[in-house]
Amino acid sequence: PLVWAILLGVCAWLLNRTYRRYLQELNDAIGKRFLERDQLAMPKTAQTSIIAQLQSSDSTKVVGAIGWLRNQNPNALLEHATPLLQHPDSTVRRRMLGALADLSLPVPAKPVTQIALTDADADLRQQAAYLLGRRVSASTSEIGSMLHHSDLAIRQGTIRG
């Protein structure tokens, strides 16, 4: 009976210790979740690593890096917009056009126009035309040529923009 009492005491002590450690970790995690973006620790090495992933041949890595930069540092994403809009994978181009639209970032007109006029994917052409159509600095000749284009996706995107 004495061995069982000691074993029960040790088990209760371990359970209590584990529970207290769990509560401490949970409290730390919840506290970090509600930090402002300015309070987050973002070492330059992490950002450098993410930016290096933008040049990866693996499109899933590039899409992940776009998503991370979109949330953490949109200006750094805008600096790399032109090569991302010319990426061979349509998923990367789609994600970059979506980031430009969602964040209301300035649109690099030349690569977006190229997508609008020459991309094989009609949805990408429409999204690019939408971005071009909603630019404040767009000239009427640019908008007019897009509105009267023979491609329906381009016309729809320009009208929506």
Side-chain angles (χ1 to χ4, degrees), residues 59 62-63 66 77 80-101 111-112 114-116 118-125 127-128 131:
S59 63
V62 177
V63 168
I66 290 171
L77 180 62
H80 299 279
T82 300
L84 291 171
L85 290 169
Q86 296 168 343
H87 197 276
D89 191 346
S90 65
T91 309
V92 173
R93 294 191 307 271
R94 181 181 326 275
R95 182 67 182 234
M96 190 61 211
L97 287 172
L100 289 172
V112 175
Q114 183 180 1
I115 290 174
T118 62
D119 202 279
D121 187 352
D123 290 336
L124 281 177
R125 289 194 310 269
Q127 190 174 12
L131 284 173

PDB file of all heavy atoms in Angstrom, residues 59 62-63 66 77 80-101 111-112 114-116 118-125 127-128 131:
ATOM      1  N   SER A  59       6.920  26.597 -57.883  1.00  0.00           N
ATOM      2  CA  SER A  59       5.867  27.614 -57.822  1.00  0.00           C
ATOM      3  C   SER A  59       5.172  27.666 -56.459  1.00  0.00           C
ATOM      4  O   SER A  59       4.715  28.731 -56.048  1.00  0.00           O
ATOM      5  CB  SER A  59       4.836  27.392 -58.925  1.00  0.00           C
ATOM      6  OG  SER A  59       4.186  26.154 -58.741  1.00  0.00           O
ATOM      7  N   VAL A  62       7.164  29.983 -54.331  1.00  0.00           N
ATOM      8  CA  VAL A  62       6.994  31.364 -54.767  1.00  0.00           C
ATOM      9  C   VAL A  62       5.636  31.896 -54.305  1.00  0.00           C
ATOM     10  O   VAL A  62       5.537  33.012 -53.785  1.00  0.00           O
ATOM     11  CB  VAL A  62       7.143  31.483 -56.296  1.00  0.00           C
ATOM     12  CG1 VAL A  62       6.900  32.912 -56.756  1.00  0.00           C
ATOM     13  CG2 VAL A  62       8.512  31.013 -56.744  1.00  0.00           C
ATOM     14  N   VAL A  63       4.593  31.092 -54.444  1.00  0.00           N
ATOM     15  CA  VAL A  63       3.254  31.512 -54.015  1.00  0.00           C
ATOM     16  C   VAL A  63       3.226  31.729 -52.502  1.00  0.00           C
ATOM     17  O   VAL A  63       2.632  32.702 -52.013  1.00  0.00           O
ATOM     18  CB  VAL A  63       2.193  30.474 -54.465  1.00  0.00           C
ATOM     19  CG1 VAL A  63       0.865  30.714 -53.794  1.00  0.00           C
ATOM     20  CG2 VAL A  63       2.030  30.524 -55.975  1.00  0.00           C
ATOM     21  N   ILE A  66       4.947  34.996 -51.761  1.00  0.00           N
ATOM     22  CA  ILE A  66       4.076  36.126 -52.107  1.00  0.00           C
ATOM     23  C   ILE A  66       3.056  36.354 -50.999  1.00  0.00           C
ATOM     24  O   ILE A  66       2.817  37.490 -50.587  1.00  0.00           O
ATOM     25  CB  ILE A  66       3.373  35.889 -53.467  1.00  0.00           C
ATOM     26  CG1 ILE A  66       4.378  35.957 -54.604  1.00  0.00           C
ATOM     27  CG2 ILE A  66       2.261  36.899 -53.691  1.00  0.00           C
ATOM     28  CD1 ILE A  66       3.820  35.526 -55.949  1.00  0.00           C
ATOM     29  N   LEU A  77       7.203  43.318 -51.633  1.00  0.00           N
ATOM     30  CA  LEU A  77       6.549  42.547 -52.696  1.00  0.00           C
ATOM     31  C   LEU A  77       6.424  43.382 -53.967  1.00  0.00           C
ATOM     32  O   LEU A  77       6.646  42.876 -55.073  1.00  0.00           O
ATOM     33  CB  LEU A  77       5.167  42.085 -52.218  1.00  0.00           C
ATOM     34  CG  LEU A  77       4.353  41.262 -53.204  1.00  0.00           C
ATOM     35  CD1 LEU A  77       5.077  39.968 -53.548  1.00  0.00           C
ATOM     36  CD2 LEU A  77       2.986  40.953 -52.615  1.00  0.00           C
ATOM     37  N   HIS A  80       9.390  43.436 -56.286  1.00  0.00           N
ATOM     38  CA  HIS A  80       9.621  42.230 -57.094  1.00  0.00           C
ATOM     39  C   HIS A  80       8.424  41.903 -57.993  1.00  0.00           C
ATOM     40  O   HIS A  80       8.334  40.793 -58.501  1.00  0.00           O
ATOM     41  CB  HIS A  80       9.916  41.048 -56.176  1.00  0.00           C
ATOM     42  CG  HIS A  80      11.134  41.250 -55.342  1.00  0.00           C
ATOM     43  ND1 HIS A  80      12.401  41.029 -55.822  1.00  0.00           N
ATOM     44  CD2 HIS A  80      11.287  41.686 -54.063  1.00  0.00           C
ATOM     45  CE1 HIS A  80      13.284  41.307 -54.878  1.00  0.00           C
ATOM     46  NE2 HIS A  80      12.631  41.711 -53.802  1.00  0.00           N
ATOM     47  N   ALA A  81       7.539  42.850 -58.182  1.00  0.00           N
ATOM     48  CA  ALA A  81       6.309  42.587 -58.930  1.00  0.00           C
ATOM     49  C   ALA A  81       6.565  42.244 -60.393  1.00  0.00           C
ATOM     50  O   ALA A  81       5.963  41.308 -60.920  1.00  0.00           O
ATOM     51  CB  ALA A  81       5.371  43.789 -58.825  1.00  0.00           C
ATOM     52  N   THR A  82       7.437  42.980 -61.056  1.00  0.00           N
ATOM     53  CA  THR A  82       7.638  42.772 -62.494  1.00  0.00           C
ATOM     54  C   THR A  82       8.119  41.364 -62.824  1.00  0.00           C
ATOM     55  O   THR A  82       7.514  40.692 -63.669  1.00  0.00           O
ATOM     56  CB  THR A  82       8.597  43.837 -63.056  1.00  0.00           C
ATOM     57  OG1 THR A  82       8.013  45.120 -62.826  1.00  0.00           O
ATOM     58  CG2 THR A  82       8.822  43.639 -64.539  1.00  0.00           C
ATOM     59  N   PRO A  83       9.188  40.836 -62.167  1.00  0.00           N
ATOM     60  CA  PRO A  83       9.568  39.457 -62.511  1.00  0.00           C
ATOM     61  C   PRO A  83       8.510  38.429 -62.123  1.00  0.00           C
ATOM     62  O   PRO A  83       8.363  37.407 -62.797  1.00  0.00           O
ATOM     63  CB  PRO A  83      10.876  39.225 -61.735  1.00  0.00           C
ATOM     64  CG  PRO A  83      11.061  40.374 -60.835  1.00  0.00           C
ATOM     65  CD  PRO A  83      10.144  41.452 -61.267  1.00  0.00           C
ATOM     66  N   LEU A  84       7.748  38.702 -61.064  1.00  0.00           N
ATOM     67  CA  LEU A  84       6.705  37.748 -60.666  1.00  0.00           C
ATOM     68  C   LEU A  84       5.552  37.744 -61.662  1.00  0.00           C
ATOM     69  O   LEU A  84       4.933  36.707 -61.902  1.00  0.00           O
ATOM     70  CB  LEU A  84       6.200  38.076 -59.259  1.00  0.00           C
ATOM     71  CG  LEU A  84       7.204  37.817 -58.134  1.00  0.00           C
ATOM     72  CD1 LEU A  84       6.685  38.365 -56.823  1.00  0.00           C
ATOM     73  CD2 LEU A  84       7.503  36.342 -58.016  1.00  0.00           C
ATOM     74  N   LEU A  85       5.255  38.889 -62.250  1.00  0.00           N
ATOM     75  CA  LEU A  85       4.199  38.959 -63.259  1.00  0.00           C
ATOM     76  C   LEU A  85       4.632  38.318 -64.575  1.00  0.00           C
ATOM     77  O   LEU A  85       3.805  38.008 -65.424  1.00  0.00           O
ATOM     78  CB  LEU A  85       3.782  40.411 -63.486  1.00  0.00           C
ATOM     79  CG  LEU A  85       3.014  41.045 -62.331  1.00  0.00           C
ATOM     80  CD1 LEU A  85       2.890  42.542 -62.540  1.00  0.00           C
ATOM     81  CD2 LEU A  85       1.652  40.403 -62.157  1.00  0.00           C
ATOM     82  N   GLN A  86       5.929  38.102 -64.754  1.00  0.00           N
ATOM     83  CA  GLN A  86       6.445  37.453 -65.957  1.00  0.00           C
ATOM     84  C   GLN A  86       6.826  36.001 -65.692  1.00  0.00           C
ATOM     85  O   GLN A  86       7.433  35.355 -66.537  1.00  0.00           O
ATOM     86  CB  GLN A  86       7.658  38.230 -66.474  1.00  0.00           C
ATOM     87  CG  GLN A  86       7.309  39.630 -66.909  1.00  0.00           C
ATOM     88  CD  GLN A  86       8.527  40.508 -67.156  1.00  0.00           C
ATOM     89  OE1 GLN A  86       9.632  40.192 -66.728  1.00  0.00           O
ATOM     90  NE2 GLN A  86       8.305  41.614 -67.840  1.00  0.00           N
ATOM     91  N   HIS A  87       6.466  35.476 -64.536  1.00  0.00           N
ATOM     92  CA  HIS A  87       6.816  34.100 -64.157  1.00  0.00           C
ATOM     93  C   HIS A  87       6.143  33.122 -65.123  1.00  0.00           C
ATOM     94  O   HIS A  87       5.010  33.340 -65.563  1.00  0.00           O
ATOM     95  CB  HIS A  87       6.343  33.837 -62.723  1.00  0.00           C
ATOM     96  CG  HIS A  87       6.975  32.650 -62.085  1.00  0.00           C
ATOM     97  ND1 HIS A  87       6.507  31.370 -62.278  1.00  0.00           N
ATOM     98  CD2 HIS A  87       8.047  32.539 -61.275  1.00  0.00           C
ATOM     99  CE1 HIS A  87       7.256  30.524 -61.603  1.00  0.00           C
ATOM    100  NE2 HIS A  87       8.200  31.208 -60.968  1.00  0.00           N
ATOM    101  N   PRO A  88       6.811  32.013 -65.461  1.00  0.00           N
ATOM    102  CA  PRO A  88       6.217  31.061 -66.410  1.00  0.00           C
ATOM    103  C   PRO A  88       4.984  30.334 -65.873  1.00  0.00           C
ATOM    104  O   PRO A  88       4.155  29.876 -66.661  1.00  0.00           O
ATOM    105  CB  PRO A  88       7.349  30.066 -66.692  1.00  0.00           C
ATOM    106  CG  PRO A  88       8.413  30.333 -65.708  1.00  0.00           C
ATOM    107  CD  PRO A  88       8.195  31.671 -65.116  1.00  0.00           C
ATOM    108  N   ASP A  89       4.828  30.240 -64.559  1.00  0.00           N
ATOM    109  CA  ASP A  89       3.689  29.517 -63.981  1.00  0.00           C
ATOM    110  C   ASP A  89       2.512  30.479 -63.786  1.00  0.00           C
ATOM    111  O   ASP A  89       2.638  31.537 -63.165  1.00  0.00           O
ATOM    112  CB  ASP A  89       4.089  28.903 -62.634  1.00  0.00           C
ATOM    113  CG  ASP A  89       3.048  27.931 -62.102  1.00  0.00           C
ATOM    114  OD1 ASP A  89       1.918  27.928 -62.625  1.00  0.00           O
ATOM    115  OD2 ASP A  89       3.376  27.180 -61.178  1.00  0.00           O
ATOM    116  N   SER A  90       1.357  30.099 -64.287  1.00  0.00           N
ATOM    117  CA  SER A  90       0.176  30.969 -64.196  1.00  0.00           C
ATOM    118  C   SER A  90      -0.303  31.136 -62.756  1.00  0.00           C
ATOM    119  O   SER A  90      -0.908  32.153 -62.424  1.00  0.00           O
ATOM    120  CB  SER A  90      -0.956  30.426 -65.066  1.00  0.00           C
ATOM    121  OG  SER A  90      -1.400  29.178 -64.575  1.00  0.00           O
ATOM    122  N   THR A  91      -0.035  30.171 -61.890  1.00  0.00           N
ATOM    123  CA  THR A  91      -0.442  30.291 -60.485  1.00  0.00           C
ATOM    124  C   THR A  91       0.273  31.455 -59.821  1.00  0.00           C
ATOM    125  O   THR A  91      -0.330  32.195 -59.039  1.00  0.00           O
ATOM    126  CB  THR A  91      -0.117  28.980 -59.727  1.00  0.00           C
ATOM    127  OG1 THR A  91      -0.653  27.885 -60.442  1.00  0.00           O
ATOM    128  CG2 THR A  91      -0.679  29.007 -58.334  1.00  0.00           C
ATOM    129  N   VAL A  92       1.538  31.623 -60.128  1.00  0.00           N
ATOM    130  CA  VAL A  92       2.312  32.731 -59.558  1.00  0.00           C
ATOM    131  C   VAL A  92       1.794  34.060 -60.083  1.00  0.00           C
ATOM    132  O   VAL A  92       1.592  35.013 -59.319  1.00  0.00           O
ATOM    133  CB  VAL A  92       3.815  32.556 -59.870  1.00  0.00           C
ATOM    134  CG1 VAL A  92       4.612  33.774 -59.437  1.00  0.00           C
ATOM    135  CG2 VAL A  92       4.349  31.303 -59.207  1.00  0.00           C
ATOM    136  N   ARG A  93       1.542  34.135 -61.389  1.00  0.00           N
ATOM    137  CA  ARG A  93       1.014  35.378 -61.960  1.00  0.00           C
ATOM    138  C   ARG A  93      -0.349  35.713 -61.370  1.00  0.00           C
ATOM    139  O   ARG A  93      -0.630  36.865 -61.038  1.00  0.00           O
ATOM    140  CB  ARG A  93       0.927  35.256 -63.486  1.00  0.00           C
ATOM    141  CG  ARG A  93       2.279  35.134 -64.159  1.00  0.00           C
ATOM    142  CD  ARG A  93       2.193  35.286 -65.668  1.00  0.00           C
ATOM    143  NE  ARG A  93       1.235  34.402 -66.323  1.00  0.00           N
ATOM    144  CZ  ARG A  93       1.501  33.178 -66.763  1.00  0.00           C
ATOM    145  NH1 ARG A  93       2.711  32.680 -66.628  1.00  0.00           N
ATOM    146  NH2 ARG A  93       0.577  32.462 -67.361  1.00  0.00           N
ATOM    147  N   ARG A  94      -1.192  34.695 -61.198  1.00  0.00           N
ATOM    148  CA  ARG A  94      -2.530  34.906 -60.620  1.00  0.00           C
ATOM    149  C   ARG A  94      -2.427  35.431 -59.190  1.00  0.00           C
ATOM    150  O   ARG A  94      -3.113  36.363 -58.806  1.00  0.00           O
ATOM    151  CB  ARG A  94      -3.324  33.604 -60.650  1.00  0.00           C
ATOM    152  CG  ARG A  94      -4.726  33.731 -60.087  1.00  0.00           C
ATOM    153  CD  ARG A  94      -5.479  32.418 -60.102  1.00  0.00           C
ATOM    154  NE  ARG A  94      -5.164  31.578 -61.197  1.00  0.00           N
ATOM    155  CZ  ARG A  94      -5.639  31.531 -62.439  1.00  0.00           C
ATOM    156  NH1 ARG A  94      -6.365  32.110 -62.756  1.00  0.00           N
ATOM    157  NH2 ARG A  94      -5.326  30.790 -63.407  1.00  0.00           N
ATOM    158  N   ARG A  95      -1.535  34.822 -58.402  1.00  0.00           N
ATOM    159  CA  ARG A  95      -1.381  35.243 -57.008  1.00  0.00           C
ATOM    160  C   ARG A  95      -0.843  36.673 -56.914  1.00  0.00           C
ATOM    161  O   ARG A  95      -1.263  37.456 -56.070  1.00  0.00           O
ATOM    162  CB  ARG A  95      -0.446  34.264 -56.289  1.00  0.00           C
ATOM    163  CG  ARG A  95      -0.226  34.544 -54.843  1.00  0.00           C
ATOM    164  CD  ARG A  95      -1.525  34.333 -54.057  1.00  0.00           C
ATOM    165  NE  ARG A  95      -1.312  34.649 -52.676  1.00  0.00           N
ATOM    166  CZ  ARG A  95      -1.573  33.844 -51.675  1.00  0.00           C
ATOM    167  NH1 ARG A  95      -2.115  32.675 -51.900  1.00  0.00           N
ATOM    168  NH2 ARG A  95      -1.332  34.205 -50.452  1.00  0.00           N
ATOM    169  N   MET A  96       0.067  37.025 -57.818  1.00  0.00           N
ATOM    170  CA  MET A  96       0.628  38.374 -57.807  1.00  0.00           C
ATOM    171  C   MET A  96      -0.413  39.402 -58.237  1.00  0.00           C
ATOM    172  O   MET A  96      -0.522  40.474 -57.631  1.00  0.00           O
ATOM    173  CB  MET A  96       1.857  38.429 -58.726  1.00  0.00           C
ATOM    174  CG  MET A  96       2.643  39.701 -58.603  1.00  0.00           C
ATOM    175  SD  MET A  96       3.271  39.926 -56.946  1.00  0.00           S
ATOM    176  CE  MET A  96       3.253  41.693 -56.854  1.00  0.00           C
ATOM    177  N   LEU A  97      -1.201  39.092 -59.255  1.00  0.00           N
ATOM    178  CA  LEU A  97      -2.275  40.002 -59.661  1.00  0.00           C
ATOM    179  C   LEU A  97      -3.295  40.162 -58.533  1.00  0.00           C
ATOM    180  O   LEU A  97      -3.791  41.261 -58.284  1.00  0.00           O
ATOM    181  CB  LEU A  97      -2.968  39.486 -60.930  1.00  0.00           C
ATOM    182  CG  LEU A  97      -2.182  39.608 -62.236  1.00  0.00           C
ATOM    183  CD1 LEU A  97      -2.910  38.884 -63.358  1.00  0.00           C
ATOM    184  CD2 LEU A  97      -1.949  41.059 -62.592  1.00  0.00           C
ATOM    185  N   GLY A  98      -3.593  39.065 -57.841  1.00  0.00           N
ATOM    186  CA  GLY A  98      -4.515  39.142 -56.708  1.00  0.00           C
ATOM    187  C   GLY A  98      -3.974  40.013 -55.591  1.00  0.00           C
ATOM    188  O   GLY A  98      -4.717  40.782 -54.975  1.00  0.00           O
ATOM    189  N   ALA A  99      -2.677  39.914 -55.320  1.00  0.00           N
ATOM    190  CA  ALA A  99      -2.065  40.744 -54.277  1.00  0.00           C
ATOM    191  C   ALA A  99      -2.112  42.214 -54.672  1.00  0.00           C
ATOM    192  O   ALA A  99      -2.407  43.076 -53.838  1.00  0.00           O
ATOM    193  CB  ALA A  99      -0.625  40.304 -54.024  1.00  0.00           C
ATOM    194  N   LEU A 100      -1.845  42.506 -55.936  1.00  0.00           N
ATOM    195  CA  LEU A 100      -1.915  43.900 -56.393  1.00  0.00           C
ATOM    196  C   LEU A 100      -3.327  44.449 -56.262  1.00  0.00           C
ATOM    197  O   LEU A 100      -3.525  45.606 -55.888  1.00  0.00           O
ATOM    198  CB  LEU A 100      -1.441  44.007 -57.846  1.00  0.00           C
ATOM    199  CG  LEU A 100       0.049  43.808 -58.105  1.00  0.00           C
ATOM    200  CD1 LEU A 100       0.323  43.744 -59.603  1.00  0.00           C
ATOM    201  CD2 LEU A 100       0.864  44.904 -57.466  1.00  0.00           C
ATOM    202  N   ALA A 101      -4.319  43.618 -56.553  1.00  0.00           N
ATOM    203  CA  ALA A 101      -5.705  44.067 -56.473  1.00  0.00           C
ATOM    204  C   ALA A 101      -6.160  44.229 -55.022  1.00  0.00           C
ATOM    205  O   ALA A 101      -6.785  45.224 -54.670  1.00  0.00           O
ATOM    206  CB  ALA A 101      -6.616  43.079 -57.196  1.00  0.00           C
ATOM    207  N   PRO A 111       4.134  45.032 -67.550  1.00  0.00           N
ATOM    208  CA  PRO A 111       3.907  43.582 -67.456  1.00  0.00           C
ATOM    209  C   PRO A 111       2.431  43.215 -67.319  1.00  0.00           C
ATOM    210  O   PRO A 111       2.011  42.163 -67.818  1.00  0.00           O
ATOM    211  CB  PRO A 111       4.711  43.152 -66.222  1.00  0.00           C
ATOM    212  CG  PRO A 111       5.010  44.378 -65.471  1.00  0.00           C
ATOM    213  CD  PRO A 111       4.957  45.510 -66.433  1.00  0.00           C
ATOM    214  N   VAL A 112       1.641  44.069 -66.675  1.00  0.00           N
ATOM    215  CA  VAL A 112       0.212  43.776 -66.545  1.00  0.00           C
ATOM    216  C   VAL A 112      -0.469  43.885 -67.902  1.00  0.00           C
ATOM    217  O   VAL A 112      -1.339  43.080 -68.240  1.00  0.00           O
ATOM    218  CB  VAL A 112      -0.441  44.691 -65.480  1.00  0.00           C
ATOM    219  CG1 VAL A 112      -1.936  44.482 -65.441  1.00  0.00           C
ATOM    220  CG2 VAL A 112       0.165  44.431 -64.107  1.00  0.00           C
ATOM    221  N   GLN A 114       0.989  43.302 -70.735  1.00  0.00           N
ATOM    222  CA  GLN A 114       1.419  42.106 -71.474  1.00  0.00           C
ATOM    223  C   GLN A 114       0.560  40.902 -71.097  1.00  0.00           C
ATOM    224  O   GLN A 114       0.157  40.125 -71.964  1.00  0.00           O
ATOM    225  CB  GLN A 114       2.892  41.821 -71.192  1.00  0.00           C
ATOM    226  CG  GLN A 114       3.426  40.647 -71.960  1.00  0.00           C
ATOM    227  CD  GLN A 114       4.897  40.383 -71.662  1.00  0.00           C
ATOM    228  OE1 GLN A 114       5.509  41.075 -70.868  1.00  0.00           O
ATOM    229  NE2 GLN A 114       5.432  39.373 -72.311  1.00  0.00           N
ATOM    230  N   ILE A 115       0.260  40.755 -69.805  1.00  0.00           N
ATOM    231  CA  ILE A 115      -0.609  39.651 -69.379  1.00  0.00           C
ATOM    232  C   ILE A 115      -2.000  39.830 -69.982  1.00  0.00           C
ATOM    233  O   ILE A 115      -2.594  38.883 -70.486  1.00  0.00           O
ATOM    234  CB  ILE A 115      -0.685  39.576 -67.842  1.00  0.00           C
ATOM    235  CG1 ILE A 115       0.653  39.105 -67.272  1.00  0.00           C
ATOM    236  CG2 ILE A 115      -1.795  38.631 -67.396  1.00  0.00           C
ATOM    237  CD1 ILE A 115       0.722  39.146 -65.756  1.00  0.00           C
ATOM    238  N   ALA A 116      -2.517  41.051 -69.923  1.00  0.00           N
ATOM    239  CA  ALA A 116      -3.868  41.308 -70.426  1.00  0.00           C
ATOM    240  C   ALA A 116      -3.994  40.995 -71.909  1.00  0.00           C
ATOM    241  O   ALA A 116      -5.039  40.509 -72.358  1.00  0.00           O
ATOM    242  CB  ALA A 116      -4.272  42.759 -70.155  1.00  0.00           C
ATOM    243  N   THR A 118      -1.688  39.066 -73.897  1.00  0.00           N
ATOM    244  CA  THR A 118      -1.067  37.874 -74.491  1.00  0.00           C
ATOM    245  C   THR A 118      -1.181  36.598 -73.675  1.00  0.00           C
ATOM    246  O   THR A 118      -0.793  35.533 -74.174  1.00  0.00           O
ATOM    247  CB  THR A 118       0.437  38.130 -74.737  1.00  0.00           C
ATOM    248  OG1 THR A 118       1.081  38.376 -73.486  1.00  0.00           O
ATOM    249  CG2 THR A 118       0.645  39.297 -75.672  1.00  0.00           C
ATOM    250  N   ASP A 119      -1.667  36.645 -72.434  1.00  0.00           N
ATOM    251  CA  ASP A 119      -1.677  35.434 -71.615  1.00  0.00           C
ATOM    252  C   ASP A 119      -2.655  34.406 -72.177  1.00  0.00           C
ATOM    253  O   ASP A 119      -3.711  34.756 -72.725  1.00  0.00           O
ATOM    254  CB  ASP A 119      -2.053  35.770 -70.166  1.00  0.00           C
ATOM    255  CG  ASP A 119      -1.565  34.713 -69.208  1.00  0.00           C
ATOM    256  OD1 ASP A 119      -2.231  33.674 -69.066  1.00  0.00           O
ATOM    257  OD2 ASP A 119      -0.500  34.926 -68.618  1.00  0.00           O
ATOM    258  N   ALA A 120      -2.318  33.154 -72.035  1.00  0.00           N
ATOM    259  CA  ALA A 120      -3.172  32.078 -72.549  1.00  0.00           C
ATOM    260  C   ALA A 120      -4.409  31.870 -71.687  1.00  0.00           C
ATOM    261  O   ALA A 120      -5.443  31.410 -72.184  1.00  0.00           O
ATOM    262  CB  ALA A 120      -2.373  30.779 -72.623  1.00  0.00           C
ATOM    263  N   ASP A 121      -4.345  32.214 -70.415  1.00  0.00           N
ATOM    264  CA  ASP A 121      -5.458  32.010 -69.488  1.00  0.00           C
ATOM    265  C   ASP A 121      -6.410  33.214 -69.533  1.00  0.00           C
ATOM    266  O   ASP A 121      -6.021  34.347 -69.242  1.00  0.00           O
ATOM    267  CB  ASP A 121      -4.895  31.828 -68.068  1.00  0.00           C
ATOM    268  CG  ASP A 121      -5.946  31.436 -67.055  1.00  0.00           C
ATOM    269  OD1 ASP A 121      -7.151  31.449 -67.398  1.00  0.00           O
ATOM    270  OD2 ASP A 121      -5.568  31.112 -65.919  1.00  0.00           O
ATOM    271  N   ALA A 122      -7.654  32.971 -69.883  1.00  0.00           N
ATOM    272  CA  ALA A 122      -8.632  34.053 -70.017  1.00  0.00           C
ATOM    273  C   ALA A 122      -8.901  34.746 -68.682  1.00  0.00           C
ATOM    274  O   ALA A 122      -9.101  35.962 -68.642  1.00  0.00           O
ATOM    275  CB  ALA A 122      -9.937  33.517 -70.584  1.00  0.00           C
ATOM    276  N   ASP A 123      -8.895  33.992 -67.578  1.00  0.00           N
ATOM    277  CA  ASP A 123      -9.121  34.607 -66.268  1.00  0.00           C
ATOM    278  C   ASP A 123      -7.999  35.583 -65.916  1.00  0.00           C
ATOM    279  O   ASP A 123      -8.248  36.644 -65.336  1.00  0.00           O
ATOM    280  CB  ASP A 123      -9.232  33.536 -65.174  1.00  0.00           C
ATOM    281  CG  ASP A 123     -10.512  32.723 -65.289  1.00  0.00           C
ATOM    282  OD1 ASP A 123     -11.487  33.233 -65.874  1.00  0.00           O
ATOM    283  OD2 ASP A 123     -10.529  31.577 -64.796  1.00  0.00           O
ATOM    284  N   LEU A 124      -6.774  35.219 -66.262  1.00  0.00           N
ATOM    285  CA  LEU A 124      -5.652  36.125 -66.006  1.00  0.00           C
ATOM    286  C   LEU A 124      -5.747  37.369 -66.876  1.00  0.00           C
ATOM    287  O   LEU A 124      -5.455  38.476 -66.415  1.00  0.00           O
ATOM    288  CB  LEU A 124      -4.323  35.419 -66.255  1.00  0.00           C
ATOM    289  CG  LEU A 124      -3.837  34.492 -65.149  1.00  0.00           C
ATOM    290  CD1 LEU A 124      -2.543  33.816 -65.557  1.00  0.00           C
ATOM    291  CD2 LEU A 124      -3.651  35.232 -63.859  1.00  0.00           C
ATOM    292  N   ARG A 125      -6.139  37.206 -68.134  1.00  0.00           N
ATOM    293  CA  ARG A 125      -6.313  38.372 -69.005  1.00  0.00           C
ATOM    294  C   ARG A 125      -7.372  39.303 -68.444  1.00  0.00           C
ATOM    295  O   ARG A 125      -7.199  40.521 -68.423  1.00  0.00           O
ATOM    296  CB  ARG A 125      -6.692  37.930 -70.420  1.00  0.00           C
ATOM    297  CG  ARG A 125      -5.569  37.266 -71.190  1.00  0.00           C
ATOM    298  CD  ARG A 125      -5.865  37.158 -72.679  1.00  0.00           C
ATOM    299  NE  ARG A 125      -7.162  36.591 -72.991  1.00  0.00           N
ATOM    300  CZ  ARG A 125      -7.418  35.297 -73.183  1.00  0.00           C
ATOM    301  NH1 ARG A 125      -6.432  34.424 -73.094  1.00  0.00           N
ATOM    302  NH2 ARG A 125      -8.628  34.879 -73.470  1.00  0.00           N
ATOM    303  N   GLN A 127      -8.369  39.551 -65.247  1.00  0.00           N
ATOM    304  CA  GLN A 127      -7.900  40.165 -64.005  1.00  0.00           C
ATOM    305  C   GLN A 127      -6.889  41.282 -64.287  1.00  0.00           C
ATOM    306  O   GLN A 127      -6.919  42.339 -63.649  1.00  0.00           O
ATOM    307  CB  GLN A 127      -7.282  39.104 -63.092  1.00  0.00           C
ATOM    308  CG  GLN A 127      -6.997  39.598 -61.695  1.00  0.00           C
ATOM    309  CD  GLN A 127      -6.530  38.479 -60.786  1.00  0.00           C
ATOM    310  OE1 GLN A 127      -6.213  37.372 -61.230  1.00  0.00           O
ATOM    311  NE2 GLN A 127      -6.480  38.758 -59.511  1.00  0.00           N
ATOM    312  N   ALA A 128      -6.020  41.066 -65.250  1.00  0.00           N
ATOM    313  CA  ALA A 128      -5.049  42.095 -65.619  1.00  0.00           C
ATOM    314  C   ALA A 128      -5.751  43.312 -66.223  1.00  0.00           C
ATOM    315  O   ALA A 128      -5.403  44.455 -65.908  1.00  0.00           O
ATOM    316  CB  ALA A 128      -4.025  41.525 -66.597  1.00  0.00           C
ATOM    317  N   LEU A 131      -7.250  45.334 -63.442  1.00  0.00           N
ATOM    318  CA  LEU A 131      -6.261  46.169 -62.753  1.00  0.00           C
ATOM    319  C   LEU A 131      -5.879  47.389 -63.581  1.00  0.00           C
ATOM    320  O   LEU A 131      -5.711  48.487 -63.044  1.00  0.00           O
ATOM    321  CB  LEU A 131      -5.006  45.349 -62.435  1.00  0.00           C
ATOM    322  CG  LEU A 131      -5.120  44.389 -61.265  1.00  0.00           C
ATOM    323  CD1 LEU A 131      -3.870  43.529 -61.167  1.00  0.00           C
ATOM    324  CD2 LEU A 131      -5.340  45.136 -59.981  1.00  0.00           C
TER     325      LEU A 131
END
